[in-house]
Amino acid sequence: MPATAIKKKDGFQGQKAVVIPRKVLASNCTNNAIIAGLYITDIGYYPKARFHYRERPHGAEQHILIYCIEGRGSVTIKKKQYDIEPGNFFIVPKQTEHYYAANEKDPWTIYWTHFTGKISDAIIAHMLDQLDGHKSFLHYNEQRTKLFNTIYHQLERGYSIENILYANMCFFHFLGSFMHAEKINDVSAITEMDIVIDFMKKNIDSMCTLHQMADEVNMSPSHFSFLFKKKTGYPPMEYFNHLKVQQACQFLMFTNLRIKEIAARVGIEDPYYFSRFFTRLMGMSPNTYRERRNQ
């Protein structure tokens, strides 16, 4: 950056930001049973923020999420530099040394939030694991922007308990759109694991093999199993069994089908095996489940 350039932390045409008073956070967030786990401390939008920069050798007191929708910039986190372009977002865990700046010739437009809470560390750890690093990319989605504007609008209207609660409950959804972007995108963004899950649901009345599932996405069974468990937290066959029990619950609640008939409809020929299988997962027999749901 030329010596004549003036670096700025804030002060850009069209910018907006809300910094929630720490006294309000202490009284309305920190000990609130509903949102103490995760809540916003600062939030803002900086359009074409030329000369924008921040330098925090000792990090911030909160976690930071910055999402770039236009222009370019860079961020250095623990001595590692990342180039930021449209569609990139980056995460800076609290108390982590970092520096970031807009590109002088093509300054970024960014949405940003600072947040904390009792479960925020776990959320950040999950995000870094899911994204495999501090920086990632996602396609623009209008729903995500609307969520941000909803959150900002609520906080902009003041710090009533109602506004604080609603904004922070929406913030869970907003963060989720970064953690699991495919869930907020349209069908064109469907993942390979989603293809397999759809295959499972279409074949809920059969006993599909691991090889058949892997073939749906042209993978070896071992590689597919590894990726599926990483994505869902369950091995493919166990996940398939969960879907079978989920469907069986629907039959038990909304039909008069006998247990033998329900077992057949979820691809299990032996009704006794089905009953044991159902009981193991649901903690009660199919008959007991039906009776309790009909009370």
Side-chain angles (χ1 to χ4, degrees):
M1 185 177 291
T4 55
I6 301 174
K7 296 191 294 182
K8 298 191 292 183
K9 295 181 178 179
D10 303 291
F12 312 99
Q13 185 175 2
Q15 76 171 19
K16 54 185 182 181
V18 172
V19 178
I20 301 174
R22 275 32 188 176
K23 186 175 180 180
V24 172
L25 293 175
S27 61
N28 291 353
C29 299
T30 305
N31 296 312
N32 186 296
I34 298 174
I35 60 171
L38 180 71
Y39 56 89
I40 298 165
T41 63
D42 312 73
I43 185 170
Y45 167 75
Y46 289 171
K48 299 188 183 301
R50 195 177 185 208
F51 304 139
H52 175 225
Y53 90 107
R54 288 284 186 183
E55 187 171 1
R56 299 185 178 98
H58 303 292
E61 295 179 2
Q62 312 85 20
H63 303 296
I64 302 170
L65 169 66
I66 295 181
Y67 175 37
C68 174
I69 61 168
E70 289 184 295
R72 293 180 293 132
S74 64
V75 58
T76 300
I77 303 172
K78 293 194 292 188
K79 309 300 184 183
K80 183 175 181 179
Q81 181 173 321
Y82 303 85
D83 293 325
I84 304 300
E85 298 179 341
N88 285 147
F89 69 93
F90 61 90
I91 301 163
V92 184
K94 66 183 181 183
Q95 299 174 349
T96 300
E97 176 189 0
H98 65 276
Y99 162 89
Y100 54 79
N103 181 275
E104 182 185 344
K105 295 181 179 178
D106 185 16
W108 61 21
T109 294
I110 56 173
Y111 292 93
W112 58 267
T113 62
H114 288 219
F115 58 94
T116 188
K118 296 174 183 177
I119 64 170
S120 62
D121 291 355
I123 289 174
I124 286 294
H126 175 74
M127 292 182 75
L128 294 177
D129 180 62
Q130 289 287 110
L131 304 172
D132 196 27
H134 294 273
K135 165 192 163 183
S136 191
F137 172 86
L138 44 77
H139 294 283
Y140 178 81
N141 185 284
E142 186 178 0
Q143 187 178 348
R144 185 181 296 108
T145 303
K146 286 182 176 178
L147 269 172
F148 179 91
N149 289 332
T150 295
I151 294 165
Y152 184 88
H153 177 67
Q154 290 300 315
L155 297 175
E156 189 181 39
R157 292 176 62 83
Y159 308 123
S160 69
I161 288 292
E162 183 180 61
N163 289 348
I164 291 284
L165 285 177
Y166 185 66
N168 282 293
M169 292 175 81
C170 288
F171 185 58
F172 266 99
H173 189 183
F174 182 72
L175 268 188
S177 78
F178 289 88
M179 295 164 69
H180 304 286
E182 73 279 2
K183 301 300 182 184
I184 200 172
N185 289 329
D186 57 27
V187 177
S188 64
I190 192 169
T191 68
E192 291 173 319
M193 298 307 113
D194 288 326
I195 290 172
V196 176
I197 291 171
D198 287 341
F199 174 76
M200 292 178 182
K201 291 178 70 67
K202 289 176 183 176
N203 293 276
I204 207 76
D205 59 348
S206 65
M207 295 297 289
C208 296
T209 66
L210 184 62
H211 281 80
Q212 288 174 313
M213 295 176 188
D215 285 345
E216 285 296 304
V217 285
N218 298 313
M219 293 182 186
S220 68
S222 59
H223 184 56
F224 162 68
S225 293
F226 171 77
L227 292 180
F228 191 93
K229 185 172 182 180
K230 182 178 180 182
K231 178 71 174 178
T232 67
Y234 296 96
M237 298 309 297
E238 185 175 354
Y239 197 95
F240 190 32
N241 288 336
H242 288 179
L243 293 180
K244 287 179 178 289
V245 171
Q246 183 184 82
Q247 184 61 60
C249 288
Q250 297 284 313
F251 287 134
L252 289 166
M253 285 191 288
F254 304 125
T255 76
N256 293 317
L257 291 172
R258 293 178 297 172
I259 302 302
K260 180 179 179 179
E261 294 171 315
I262 293 174
R265 293 204 180 192
V266 295
I268 300 175
E269 294 182 3
D270 184 346
Y272 297 104
Y273 173 77
F274 166 74
S275 292
R276 293 195 300 272
F277 174 77
F278 184 97
T279 302
R280 193 161 56 244
L281 185 61
M282 298 302 295
M284 65 185 77
S285 70
N287 282 324
T288 302
Y289 183 87
R290 171 173 271 165
E291 291 169 2
R292 291 190 179 182
R293 298 303 299 179
N294 289 333
Q295 288 175 353

